[in-house]
Amino acid sequence: MDADGLARLRLIRTSSIGPVTFAQLLARFGTAQAALDAIPDLARRGGGSAPRIPSLADVEREAMAVERAGGTYLFAGRPGYPALLAEAEGAPPVLSVAGDIGLLARPTVAMVGARNASAAAVRFARQLAVELSNLGFVIVSGLARGIDTAAHRGALEGGTIGVIASGLDIVYPPENEALQREMQTRGLVVSEQPPGTEPHARHFPARNRIIAGLALGTLVVEAAPKSGSLITARLAADYGREVMAVPGSPLDPRAQGCNQLIRDGATLIQSAADVVEAVRPFGSGRVAAPADAFIPDGVVEIADRDRQAVLTLLSPIPVPLDEVLRQSGLAPAALHLILLELELAGRLARHAGGRVALD
């Protein structure tokens, strides 16, 4: 791996730096190494101590572990990184992948659903994946039990991508070990986490945003009202992608989530032809950059009174950036620099939907 790649790994593995902050630092300072050099001063101006930055040896060990797992890295802004995912808010700056990277360049549909899916739903998902695969679509899912597994198995011949919530070297659930290994050669396995990372609960919403971000649309086959599949569907809608759902019996709790999605405007799906018709208009669309991705040109001078004004407006309750901008009266460039300083100082947390709060 080249020096810039190693510097990017050090930057994203630095505590308190997430995808949005990574993008802001890279855009502001030009290179990952320059951003690393600037972090201590930014954190000091934010009123805290500098976050821990991994050493070069740390990320070299990680890179070797990814290689041992049969993987390689894809970096946002470099060739090979999936174009649709790059458009999504908070896209991962670094992905580790194992398998056929060429699948990322093909039209993709996400298929998700219940882990404890009914036999009928599993059969329908598998057959639908076969038909969509035969039509040239790659099926992306989360390598979980139930609908995910059925979708991957149905699309294995034509092309399927599994996004996992762990490192590339970790298999979850255990019963999918053979499937995950097979997908690392015949399909593609994608992870945002470093090797050795177990699939903790907090990693699954992050995994879901990658699934939604990779696809032209997300199809939910069976889901309870509060399932993770509905999170993936909501993220797809946030990204401007198509949301689709398979209707089910009102007597089955596993169908309630899908039926509610349809009531809320999701496209009702009964066949592969329905999916093709739904995602076709999205094939060439582009998603606008999120407001919190703004990076100013040139040098921005910040007065201490402006920093204090922003701190006064913030609280532990997440608030939209637009509201902070309106009430502070600051220029967008100044506000974003203050928030960057606070985040690097460990005093600010970013939340979904472009909201921020004191940490």
Side-chain angles (χ1 to χ4, degrees):
M1 186 187 301
D2 62 19
D4 181 62
L6 291 170
R8 287 177 181 233
L9 268 184
R10 292 181 67 201
L11 189 60
I12 192 56
R13 302 302 185 221
T14 297
S15 60
S16 82
I17 292 183
V20 172
T21 306
F22 180 98
Q24 291 181 341
L25 286 167
L26 206 62
R28 183 178 297 277
F29 295 102
T31 68
Q33 186 58 55
L36 289 168
D37 295 339
I39 285 174
D41 183 57
L42 289 170
R44 178 188 58 78
R45 287 190 284 168
S49 58
R52 180 190 177 276
I53 301 174
S55 68
L56 182 59
D58 289 336
V59 295
E60 285 177 337
R61 281 192 293 271
E62 176 186 326
M64 290 176 63
V66 166
E67 185 176 354
R68 286 196 300 270
T72 188
Y73 287 106
L74 297 178
F75 294 94
R78 286 188 173 187
Y81 193 90
L84 274 179
L85 182 59
E87 296 173 351
E89 179 182 356
V94 181
L95 295 171
S96 54
V97 298
D100 183 2
I101 299 176
L103 294 176
L104 294 169
R106 291 171 49 189
T108 301
V109 170
M111 189 181 298
V112 295
R115 287 174 169 80
N116 63 333
S118 66
V122 167
R123 182 174 182 273
F124 182 81
R126 184 173 58 247
Q127 184 57 39
L128 194 63
V130 170
E131 293 173 6
L132 288 171
S133 181
N134 289 339
L135 291 171
F137 288 91
V138 172
I139 301 300
V140 59
S141 195
L143 263 167
R145 301 179 179 94
I147 297 301
D148 289 22
T149 296
H152 288 309
R153 292 196 182 282
L156 197 55
E157 290 293 332
T160 185
I161 300 170
V163 185
I164 58 177
S166 61
L168 276 183
D169 56 342
I170 304 294
V171 173
Y172 182 83
E175 60 265 32
N176 273 357
E177 180 174 5
L179 175 61
Q180 183 167 327
R181 301 303 181 208
E182 189 171 11
M183 287 178 62
Q184 287 183 345
T185 56
R186 300 177 63 194
L188 184 70
V189 177
V190 176
S191 173
E192 182 182 11
Q193 307 299 330
T197 303
E198 296 290 341
H200 298 298
R202 66 181 182 275
H203 296 149
F204 284 92
R207 185 275 308 263
N208 293 345
R209 89 188 193 288
I210 299 174
I211 294 173
L214 284 170
L216 296 168
T218 292
L219 170 63
V220 185
V221 176
E222 198 170 62
K226 294 184 179 181
S227 72
S229 299
L230 299 189
I231 296 176
T232 309
R234 176 180 57 78
L235 289 165
D238 289 345
Y239 298 157
R241 316 292 170 80
E242 183 71 4
V243 177
M244 302 163 283
V246 176
S249 168
L251 301 178
D252 189 343
R254 293 170 294 192
Q256 290 178 6
C258 289
N259 292 343
Q260 185 62 49
L261 283 174
I262 294 168
R263 283 191 60 186
D264 293 342
T267 301
L268 188 154
I269 297 298
Q270 298 182 94
S271 67
D274 293 338
V275 176
V276 175
E277 181 180 357
V279 300
R280 186 180 294 120
F282 293 81
S284 58
R286 295 197 61 85
V287 181
D292 59 2
F294 175 81
I295 298 295
D297 294 326
V299 177
V300 180
E301 296 294 337
I302 304 296
D304 288 340
R305 65 177 180 275
D306 293 334
R307 292 188 177 91
Q308 187 55 50
V310 172
L311 278 171
T312 301
L313 291 172
L314 296 175
S315 76
I317 301 172
V319 61
L321 275 173
D322 289 346
E323 186 64 21
V324 181
L325 183 64
R326 184 184 68 80
Q327 293 195 33
S328 69
L330 294 172
L335 175 62
H336 282 276
L337 181 54
I338 292 171
L339 296 178
L340 183 60
E341 292 171 354
L342 290 173
E343 187 171 16
L344 291 173
R347 304 176 67 188
L348 181 86
R350 295 187 185 269
H351 296 266
R355 298 175 300 149
V356 293
L358 290 180
D359 194 0

